[in-house]
Amino acid sequence: MARRRGMNSVRVFGLAALSLALCLPLPGETKEKPQFMLPDTKVSQAPGDERVEGSSVASSLATSLHYRFKSCASTLTMDDLRMLIGFEKQREMLGGGDPALLGEISDAMGRKGLLVTSTLHMSPAGNSLNVHVFDKSGKSLGQGTASCNGNCSRFDLTKEVVAQLPDFCHPQWFGSLKYQYREFFDTKHHAETDDGTEDALTDHFYQMDVEVRLTPDGMEDQLKAEIVAKPSGPSKVETRRVASALCGGGDDGGEEKEVKGGYRETFTMSNTMGAPMCEQDACTGTASVVTDPVKGQFSISPRIGPIRYHVHSSWHKETIHCGKNQKENGEDQVEGNWPGSSQISLEGSFAPDQTTITATGGIRQDGKDKQSATVLESWDANLQSRPLIEYLVK
């Protein structure tokens, strides 16, 4: 800010500008990072003791917060704001209004952040410091308490209290996991019966495409999952029977004769998977993401619960008995239940400063005989991280 002022302003307010620079983050840093907002500490002490200013305790607390969370957040105390506002008032008295500086003050006062309240109890027996962190809705995000016997350093208390707070710089992941379930079932059946033959064909293809949209759930590594499922794929069943039948006779009194192939039946049914039903306990999912930034390792363990869906069936049956043809058609709507995905762990490595995790994995289950299905499950993960505090200040 000093570069935008004339030399006279620098000489008059040089000391104030230096103090301001020591208290506040750089302008560029302030605009990029959320802040811990620190009102003056409430101080209770015995009457007659030398007065301890709450602003001084808040300043010590801000220093401890800065050392622990400087990689993801900055601090702003009431002293910082008082200095900014007082400094600008002095400039206005000398006729030098600076719109850019006014904008910085307004920006600092309205910055997104977490509220940090603190209380210091002082007595001859010792001191105790309580700190509480809240989001803008008033939800408690963490607290800490430290105490000491006799005369002790308030700065030591602030360091101990801040160490008890959650790691607001911890990476929180968001993004999506794409899952695909494919099942193939193809069976042919031929049988000789006493009065003919029977041929059956079951051709089944079933696919479930699921997108799991992930967002941080609280302050843990457990992610909240939103399921978007799309089942598809037809299933077809065909049965053909050819058998002998007694034909003839009738109105003319003729004799019935056994005719080979006098009875024929063809049954065809097609099943189509419909939209999933995501009410109550259906369409649920979880994903645990464990990250070790030091070793550069990560592990993702996703799981999708059961999903209910509709199956639309349409069938056609044609029967020929001694030359007489009869046709039947029908439709039905039934409910199917997909049991959910297998548990899988996607593991890998990434650079400590990398904010994106991509991983793939899959499971294949081959049937032991022609009567069994082949099942393929595949996962594709794409996650990004931001410090926890960036989610909490939204």
Side-chain angles (χ1 to χ4, degrees), residues 131-380:
V131 171
H132 219 138
V133 182
F134 301 89
D135 65 9
K136 64 180 181 180
S137 67
K139 178 183 177 181
S140 175
L141 302 175
Q143 58 182 325
T145 301
S147 59
C148 62
N149 298 324
N151 189 18
C152 59
S153 168
R154 295 194 303 272
F155 187 67
D156 290 338
L157 289 180
T158 61
K159 288 194 296 183
E160 184 177 346
V161 168
V162 170
Q164 299 175 27
L165 297 178
D167 185 0
F168 293 105
C169 293
H170 182 77
Q172 291 288 288
W173 298 96
F174 69 98
S176 65
L177 295 170
K178 293 186 178 179
Y179 171 82
Q180 188 176 79
Y181 174 92
R182 286 177 290 173
E183 176 183 325
F184 305 90
F185 190 73
D186 187 355
T187 300
K188 294 181 179 180
H189 168 73
H190 176 79
E192 296 289 341
T193 64
D194 292 340
D195 54 358
T197 60
E198 180 179 278
D199 291 289
L201 169 65
T202 301
D203 185 10
H204 177 71
F205 166 69
Y206 174 45
Q207 179 169 312
M208 177 75 76
D209 294 310
V210 181
E211 181 181 7
V212 186
R213 299 172 184 172
L214 302 171
T215 54
D217 188 10
M219 297 193 296
E220 305 296 333
D221 284 327
Q222 191 74 16
L223 300 186
K224 182 179 180 181
E226 176 188 352
I227 304 296
V228 181
K230 297 179 181 179
S232 61
S235 175
K236 188 175 182 180
V237 179
E238 291 184 359
T239 303
R240 295 182 297 274
R241 295 177 57 203
V242 179
S244 299
L246 292 176
C247 300
D251 297 336
D252 58 0
E255 182 181 355
E256 290 187 338
K257 296 181 180 180
E258 183 176 1
V259 179
K260 185 177 181 180
Y263 180 86
R264 297 173 181 267
E265 177 185 285
T266 302
F267 177 82
T268 303
M269 182 174 67
S270 295
N271 299 319
T272 303
M273 311 304 167
M277 295 172 284
C278 297
E279 302 111 7
Q280 300 177 356
D281 295 333
C283 295
T284 60
T286 59
S288 175
V289 180
V290 179
T291 308
D292 187 340
V294 177
K295 296 182 180 179
Q297 300 291 321
F298 71 87
S299 176
I300 308 172
S301 301
R303 177 77 169 87
I304 299 173
I307 295 179
R308 294 180 295 122
Y309 55 87
H310 285 119
V311 180
H312 179 75
S313 300
S314 59
W315 54 270
H316 173 75
K317 181 179 180 181
E318 185 172 355
T319 305
I320 300 176
H321 188 200
C322 298
K324 296 180 180 180
N325 190 307
Q326 182 180 358
K327 297 182 179 180
E328 297 178 67
N329 296 294
E331 293 188 0
D332 197 6
Q333 189 87 357
V334 298
E335 185 177 297
N337 184 66
W338 178 61
S341 70
S342 303
Q343 184 74 44
I344 192 172
S345 180
L346 306 175
E347 299 177 342
S349 61
F350 71 109
D353 58 347
Q354 183 178 337
T355 60
T356 301
I357 286 179
T358 57
T360 57
I363 299 174
R364 180 185 179 97
Q365 302 174 7
D366 291 318
K368 297 180 180 179
D369 52 53
K370 293 182 180 180
Q371 300 285 333
S372 302
T374 297
V375 175
L376 302 177
E377 293 182 83
S378 63
W379 290 91
D380 184 5

Side-chain angles (χ1 to χ4, degrees), residues 28-214:
E29 183 183 25
T30 302
K31 293 180 180 179
E32 295 175 0
K33 295 181 179 179
Q35 290 179 325
F36 292 104
M37 311 288 193
L38 286 84
D40 291 345
T41 302
K42 293 182 179 179
V43 180
S44 63
Q45 57 187 129
D49 289 350
E50 182 180 353
R51 183 64 185 169
V52 174
E53 295 295 334
S55 59
S56 174
V57 182
S59 179
S60 297
L61 180 58
T63 301
S64 297
L65 287 168
H66 169 74
Y67 279 123
R68 183 177 177 195
F69 301 115
K70 60 184 177 181
S71 64
C72 68
S74 59
T75 60
L76 185 67
T77 66
M78 294 304 296
D79 265 355
D80 296 332
L81 288 177
R82 282 190 286 264
M83 183 172 292
L84 277 169
I85 296 171
F87 185 32
E88 182 56 25
K89 283 184 177 179
Q90 293 181 58
R91 283 183 48 78
E92 290 179 357
M93 290 175 63
L94 295 177
D98 188 342
L101 181 58
L102 287 172
E104 288 182 8
I105 294 174
S106 175
D107 200 26
M109 295 180 69
R111 182 151 317 280
K112 291 181 178 180
L114 305 181
L115 178 65
V116 183
T117 62
S118 53
T119 304
L120 176 65
H121 297 278
M122 303 181 66
S123 69
N127 302 330
S128 64
L129 178 64
N130 300 301
V131 171
H132 219 138
V133 182
F134 301 89
D135 65 9
K136 64 180 181 180
S137 67
K139 178 183 177 181
S140 175
L141 302 175
Q143 58 182 325
T145 301
S147 59
C148 62
N149 298 324
N151 189 18
C152 59
S153 168
R154 295 194 303 272
F155 187 67
D156 290 338
L157 289 180
T158 61
K159 288 194 296 183
E160 184 177 346
V161 168
V162 170
Q164 299 175 27
L165 297 178
D167 185 0
F168 293 105
C169 293
H170 182 77
Q172 291 288 288
W173 298 96
F174 69 98
S176 65
L177 295 170
K178 293 186 178 179
Y179 171 82
Q180 188 176 79
Y181 174 92
R182 286 177 290 173
E183 176 183 325
F184 305 90
F185 190 73
D186 187 355
T187 300
K188 294 181 179 180
H189 168 73
H190 176 79
E192 296 289 341
T193 64
D194 292 340
D195 54 358
T197 60
E198 180 179 278
D199 291 289
L201 169 65
T202 301
D203 185 10
H204 177 71
F205 166 69
Y206 174 45
Q207 179 169 312
M208 177 75 76
D209 294 310
V210 181
E211 181 181 7
V212 186
R213 299 172 184 172
L214 302 171

